Amino acid sequence: MGAPMKPPEWPCGCWPNPTQRLLIQACVLPDDGAAEQAWRGWEARTALDTLDAGSFKLLPVLYRRLEAWGVRSRHAERVRGVSRWCWIRHKLLMGELNRVVALLDRHAIRTLLLKGAALNGTAYPPGVRAMEDIDVLVERPAAPQALRLLSENGWRPLFDMPPEQMAVTHSVPLRLAGSQAELDLHWDFCHGRFLSPAEQRGLWERGIPAPGQPESCRLLCPTDQLLHTCEHGARYNPTPPLRWLVDAAMVLRADGRRINWPGLAATAQALGMVLPLRGTLRFLTEHAGVQLPDGARHALRGVHATIAQWIEHRLATRRPRGSHPFWQTLPGELCCYFRARRTNPTLRLADYLRLANNLSEPATTHAWRLCRVGAAEWVAACKRRLGLGGGELSFASAAEESLQGFYPPELYGGTLFRWSMPAAAITLPLARRPSPDAAEGPARGEIQLAPFRDADSLADSLRLRLNRAWLPLEDCRLAGDRLEFVLRPEHFVDRPHQRLELQCTPWDAAEGDPRRLGVPVIGFRISTAA
């Protein structure tokens, strides 16, 4: 299968770290004894309060195995609750999916289900594969009509979608008005790989009927499903992308005999997906007990990746540098741009970057503004290292793995800020505090807010929680553009990191912004001095 390629583990790369690997093994190892041993190792080193979002999404799969083994866990009730919540959300989303498919079917638009919508009930029992949204693909010529129909029926795009943007992107996220249901409408199968009409047609023709859906609704065949899972999963994500490895293992377990390995290798070669496929299968054979047939190994030995594909894969599977998505995605977007030029030789780089990043201004203007902000951030960082300018930290440059429930950074004046969702969390690098009787006092903190949401809309609903304890109201004070709070020793837990949660009612007053917004955060400061 070629020379091993070992990009770094999460949070620096897309591959599981040792603790996450134990959870994957507990979910998919075919030997129950080995799987239970992996689960006990994972449980011994895991605190559910600070569990990363990628591992959280695997808890329904873990719960089914614990039920099958008949073992008890100190986390049993909480894992059961998460599993129940995911099942209920699955039922709600599938109800919306049925309505979307029926709407498009009435207008003669074929659909193809992707990701969780396709895997629940096929590779997984219904409701076991956690879903945050619905992924539906339509044929590229029908995409504008499908988007218009969905918009007329309450589905609002999360950003402006001019017609020319469809030429450089593969999907658009939408949210149903008055609901938390989200839908990703796709018109291409891959990130930044623009399939030709013949390649698209081949994937549709190989599709299989979707159970319980109209005849116009399809699923990818097992061969293409495995390749699609590898291509979408084997890339860095702030949320650890562990689930794609379990998805691939479940597809192989449920439909491995139906996979056309020579056809899979040929399609991976033609679409430039050899490296994601090889990396995924290598991990599954080495760590997840997956046994590939001899025909698979023979087929995969006959395909090769180009130097350009190696470079792009290396970029995709490592945490990007930069404190703003524009810089983080720029290297990968350059690869996509040169690929797009093959079918559209007149496409300008500036136009591509403007459309791919959904910018309302020229890409050069946006980049210049980010450069000025980056310079200011660098100067502030130097001052902090020299002990000058106070202890405030840039929230925009905080490590992604320390943040949950925040939207990407946005420009505000000479700095960056991030909107939180109505429920969000920051993992603070603070060790356990002394006992309440110790001489050292509580930690004090403040969060600097951007002036977009007025204080009156926050004052009655904003609450903070440290680990599992809600902060008393008298310990939190909203003063203008700052949220000041006290972290008392009795609320700390015995580990090197503490989880600070923010919760508030959604703010829906942002005109033209359909996101569920919480708090606009610029920076934060924690002082542990007495």
Side-chain angles (χ1 to χ4, degrees):
M1 293 175 60
M5 184 177 183
K6 297 182 179 179
E9 299 169 345
W10 195 86
C12 296
C14 73
W15 299 93
N17 62 36
T19 301
Q20 295 164 341
R21 191 160 57 241
L22 286 173
L23 176 58
I24 292 174
Q25 290 172 335
C27 290
V28 303
L29 279 175
D31 181 89
D32 284 346
E36 184 175 344
Q37 184 178 359
W39 162 69
R40 295 191 184 280
W42 175 80
E43 184 185 44
R45 62 175 72 184
T46 300
L48 285 189
D49 289 337
T50 55
L51 187 66
D52 66 81
S55 298
F56 181 89
K57 294 173 183 178
L58 295 181
L59 293 185
V61 186
L62 176 64
Y63 175 71
R64 284 189 64 90
R65 297 214 80 176
L66 294 178
E67 286 286 285
W69 298 333
V71 301
R72 297 295 298 170
S73 162
R74 60 188 174 94
H75 299 317
E77 290 306 311
R78 297 180 67 186
V79 172
R80 180 180 180 274
V82 170
S83 180
R84 179 68 176 173
W85 179 85
C86 289
W87 183 84
I88 293 172
R89 181 160 179 80
H90 160 77
K91 298 294 288 185
L92 294 173
L93 287 175
M94 292 305 290
E96 298 297 344
L97 172 65
N98 294 337
R99 285 185 278 275
V100 166
V101 170
L103 169 68
L104 298 179
D105 180 65
R106 287 197 300 270
H107 291 81
I109 297 177
R110 294 199 299 171
T111 52
L112 194 148
L113 308 185
L114 302 174
K115 303 183 184 179
L119 295 172
N120 268 306
T122 55
Y124 292 85
V128 174
R129 204 276 192 181
M131 294 172 59
E132 297 79 47
D133 55 19
I134 308 163
D135 290 271
V136 176
L137 183 136
V138 298
E139 295 168 285
R140 181 179 286 275
Q145 182 188 7
L147 182 57
R148 177 179 57 80
L149 288 169
L150 291 169
S151 299
E152 292 172 353
N153 283 269
W155 291 93
R156 300 175 59 192
L158 295 188
F159 50 76
D160 293 334
M161 196 68 195
E164 61 270 22
Q165 195 162 354
M166 288 189 174
V168 301
T169 55
H170 73 283
S171 67
V172 60
L174 305 100
R175 176 176 288 119
L176 183 62
S179 168
Q180 296 188 32
E182 295 188 3
L183 164 71
D184 278 354
L185 179 66
H186 297 249
W187 47 86
D188 216 329
F189 288 85
C190 312
H191 290 94
R193 288 179 170 86
F194 309 103
L195 274 60
S196 69
E199 291 168 335
Q200 292 253 13
R201 188 165 54 252
L203 290 168
W204 280 96
E205 290 174 352
R206 293 192 296 270
I208 59 178
Q213 297 293 350
E215 187 177 348
S216 62
C217 185
R218 314 285 285 176
L219 305 177
L220 291 170
C221 72
T223 302
D224 294 331
Q225 180 65 69
L226 178 60
L227 185 60
H228 184 264
T229 299
C230 297
E231 191 277 335
H232 269 70
R235 58 183 61 247
Y236 174 79
N237 194 301
T239 298
L242 317 176
R243 192 169 44 179
W244 110 86
L245 293 162
V246 178
D247 286 349
M250 293 296 186
V251 170
L252 287 168
R253 179 177 299 174
D255 294 306
R257 294 181 179 180
R258 299 166 59 193
I259 290 177
N260 176 2
W261 291 100
L264 175 64
T267 304
Q269 177 88 68
L271 302 183
M273 302 181 191
V274 172
L275 296 174
L277 176 63
R278 279 181 172 169
T280 302
L281 295 179
R282 181 179 297 111
F283 179 93
L284 295 179
T285 55
E286 292 179 358
H287 301 291
V290 171
Q291 299 293 325
L292 297 180
D294 292 338
R297 299 180 183 278
H298 177 75
L300 293 172
R301 277 197 294 267
V303 294
H304 306 282
T306 65
I307 293 177
Q309 290 167 0
W310 277 90
I311 294 173
E312 184 173 4
H313 186 63
R314 183 179 178 87
L315 291 171
T317 54
R318 283 161 170 76
R319 179 164 63 187
R321 296 183 180 275
S323 60
H324 191 276
F326 183 85
W327 302 126
Q328 294 173 341
T329 60
L330 182 59
E333 286 177 349
L334 291 176
C335 296
C336 297
Y337 167 71
F338 290 118
R339 191 161 40 238
R341 288 263 302 184
R342 299 172 190 169
T343 55
N344 187 0
T346 62
L347 181 63
R348 296 171 59 244
L349 177 60
D351 292 335
Y352 178 86
L353 293 177
R354 178 179 60 82
L355 293 169
N357 289 278
N358 191 41
L359 302 177
S360 58
E361 60 186 357
T364 51
T365 302
H366 189 72
W368 173 241
R369 289 183 180 180
L370 289 176
C371 286
R372 288 188 297 175
V373 170
E377 293 278 340
W378 181 79
V379 170
C382 290
K383 287 183 177 181
R384 287 197 299 271
R385 283 194 290 268
L386 296 173
L388 305 173
E392 187 164 299
L393 302 176
S394 167
F395 190 73
S397 59
E400 288 285 352
E401 61 270 20
S402 69
L403 309 175
Q404 290 186 20
F406 286 88
Y407 294 104
E410 301 172 49
L411 277 170
Y412 166 63
T415 186
L416 298 173
F417 79 99
R418 297 180 75 146
W419 273 107
S420 79
M421 299 176 188
I426 309 170
T427 300
L428 303 173
L430 297 175
R432 179 180 176 86
R433 303 287 292 158
S435 68
D437 299 329
E440 187 175 1
R444 300 182 182 276
E446 65 179 37
I447 297 176
Q448 183 183 0
L449 306 178
F452 299 129
R453 181 168 181 175
D454 60 274
D456 290 341
S457 70
L458 279 175
D460 294 334
S461 67
L462 182 59
R463 296 291 309 277
L464 298 182
R465 181 164 65 174
L466 183 64
N467 301 313
R468 303 191 69 184
W470 290 103
L471 272 59
L473 293 178
E474 60 269 21
D475 285 352
C476 305
R477 187 171 74 93
L478 194 60
D481 62 351
R482 293 183 183 276
L483 172 63
E484 301 172 351
F485 52 90
V486 176
L487 304 178
R488 300 192 177 277
E490 59 267 28
H491 296 156
F492 280 64
V493 294
D494 191 10
R495 57 174 178 263
H497 296 86
Q498 314 298 318
R499 176 184 172 90
L500 179 67
E501 296 183 36
L502 299 84
Q503 292 194 18
C504 63
T505 55
W507 188 57
D508 301 320
E511 185 176 353
D513 192 337
R515 297 179 299 178
R516 289 173 56 81
L517 302 177
V519 182
V521 180
I522 293 178
F524 65 91
R525 177 166 51 201
I526 303 291
S527 172
T528 57

